[in-house]
Amino acid sequence: MGLTSMAVLLLAIVAAVVLFALTIWLWPRLGKKSVGSVLGRFGMMLATQLTLFAAIGLWANQSFGFFASWADLFGMEKGQGVVVDHSAGSKPVEVTGIQQVKGHGSVPSIAGKVEKVNIKGPESKIVSPAFVYLPPEYFQPQYANKTFPASVVLTGFPGTAEALIKGLHYPQEAQKLAKAKKMQPTILVMMRPTVAPPRDTECIDIPGGPQTETFFTKDLRKGLSEQYRIGLKPANWGVIGDSTGGYCALKFAMRHPDSYGAAAALSGYYVAAQDATTGKLFGEGKQSKQLEKENDLMWRLKNKPMPAVSLLVTSSKQGEHNYGDTLKFIDAAKKHPTRVSSMILDSGGHNFNTWRREIPGTLQWMGSRLSA
């Protein structure tokens, strides 16, 4: 049974309840002052607490999409390689599965469609899975010869791409807004920024390591434009992300305005994180210091020419650690030709509930910044 399956969660809940009941029932019988009784009480308390914590952890993982599998949880995931087959006939994007948009039926011209794909990067030498949401209009006759705008939607770290569909409901929200004429029909490319698991690359081209930035700014756009009716101009592409994905989104647009015309960061941050999951991101020597500066978004606003892109940042006055930094970012980004917008909630946290409140406005904002 998979880590994210409902069966595993229900089994953990049942085990916790049963062990709790058994502990209460057997506790008086283990009241004797003997080694066996003491060990029995200790064992029952330990087993009950472990099952309780397991149930809570499994529920949290399903709700927030931290880990996709048991291998991912234990840092053993090896399903995604970094070598791409460049032999004749090898396609940059391969469709590996199809799933319905929940609650919208099965006819693509009415409900749209979500395709699971593998995206291969000839320049970055990275291959990564993604879910591509195609809106109903993509399959309707009147749109047969038209291209669509596309938004790359990124999770935080570690995150799972499925959480963008099942937890944050991006396809459902986009379809609802398009139907209400509040945003234009848009293709969504949903994935996590962890394209070289289990390492968190912070979407950087790491010296001697994964070339994540090249993958997202060059390989992904080119491959998907060949597979689907998406243009290659910056105005055709946007990128949205939460947490780590938000940092990546802003950086892609600010460092590569020739690739992405708009970026939105939900609870994002502005300087690359460095910890045990990232390792050394910038290499060694003088060049490493310069590369670190180049990936510091606040440093870029003060020391680099302002890019002609649109940026959206979100935070909360209470409950978000990035509130102060977000205000500083907004103030520094108010320079032509950059256009900066914000969404500040009175209260909210670094969680799915907060992001679900921000997604409708974010999608509408993004739709107004992109062109087909």
Side-chain angles (χ1 to χ4, degrees), residues 119 121-124 126 152 154 191 195 202-205 211-225 231-234 237-239 247-261 295:
I119 304 171
E123 287 196 47
S124 64
I126 285 174
V152 177
L154 300 174
M191 58 193 305
V195 294
E202 292 291 296
C203 297
I204 290 167
D205 278 354
Q211 303 296 288
T212 309
E213 192 168 8
T214 295
F215 175 80
F216 278 107
T217 58
K218 295 181 179 179
D219 293 333
L220 179 145
R221 294 173 65 258
K222 186 175 184 298
L224 290 173
S225 293
L232 269 173
K233 296 179 180 179
W237 286 87
V239 54
Y247 164 72
C248 293
L250 294 175
K251 183 171 67 173
F252 291 154
M254 293 173 67
R255 282 174 54 85
H256 301 274
D258 56 340
S259 295
Y260 293 99
N295 285 275

Side-chain angles (χ1 to χ4, degrees), residues 18-29:
V18 170
L19 282 173
F20 179 74
L22 281 173
T23 300
I24 295 175
W25 183 56
L26 293 175
W27 196 264
R29 293 165 175 78

Side-chain angles (χ1 to χ4, degrees), residues 11 40 65-66 73 76 84 112 138 141 149 185 191 270 305 314 317:
L11 183 62
F66 297 125
L73 173 65
M76 299 166 57
V84 180
Y138 190 87
M191 58 193 305
Y270 309 100
T314 80
K317 294 178 182 177

Side-chain angles (χ1 to χ4, degrees), residues 169-320:
H169 309 139
Y170 268 98
Q172 298 91 321
E173 196 63 46
Q175 185 168 331
K176 182 168 63 176
L177 291 171
K179 187 175 181 180
K181 307 299 182 184
K182 293 183 179 180
M183 69 173 287
Q184 60 180 318
T186 302
I187 293 173
L188 302 179
V189 183
M190 297 166 286
M191 58 193 305
R192 59 182 186 171
T194 315
V195 294
R199 187 176 187 181
D200 174 13
T201 65
E202 292 291 296
C203 297
I204 290 167
D205 278 354
I206 299 175
Q211 303 296 288
T212 309
E213 192 168 8
T214 295
F215 175 80
F216 278 107
T217 58
K218 295 181 179 179
D219 293 333
L220 179 145
R221 294 173 65 258
K222 186 175 184 298
L224 290 173
S225 293
E226 292 176 1
Q227 179 76 13
Y228 303 104
R229 299 197 305 275
I230 309 171
L232 269 173
K233 296 179 180 179
N236 306 139
W237 286 87
V239 54
I240 303 169
D242 59 70
S243 192
T244 299
Y247 164 72
C248 293
L250 294 175
K251 183 171 67 173
F252 291 154
M254 293 173 67
R255 282 174 54 85
H256 301 274
D258 56 340
S259 295
Y260 293 99
L266 311 185
S267 303
Y269 48 88
Y270 309 100
V271 179
Q274 295 191 69
D275 53 32
T277 65
T278 65
K280 290 186 178 181
L281 293 174
F282 307 108
E284 304 285 352
K286 294 182 180 180
Q287 290 185 339
S288 68
K289 295 296 182 182
Q290 183 60 33
L291 183 59
E292 186 171 358
K293 289 180 180 179
E294 292 281 348
N295 285 275
D296 182 329
L297 304 187
M298 293 300 297
W299 182 89
R300 295 192 67 84
L301 289 176
K302 297 176 182 178
N303 296 277
K304 291 288 185 178
M306 299 297 287
V309 295
S310 295
L311 306 174
L312 170 66
V313 292
T314 80
S315 188
S316 303
K317 294 178 182 177
Q318 294 183 347
E320 278 282 15

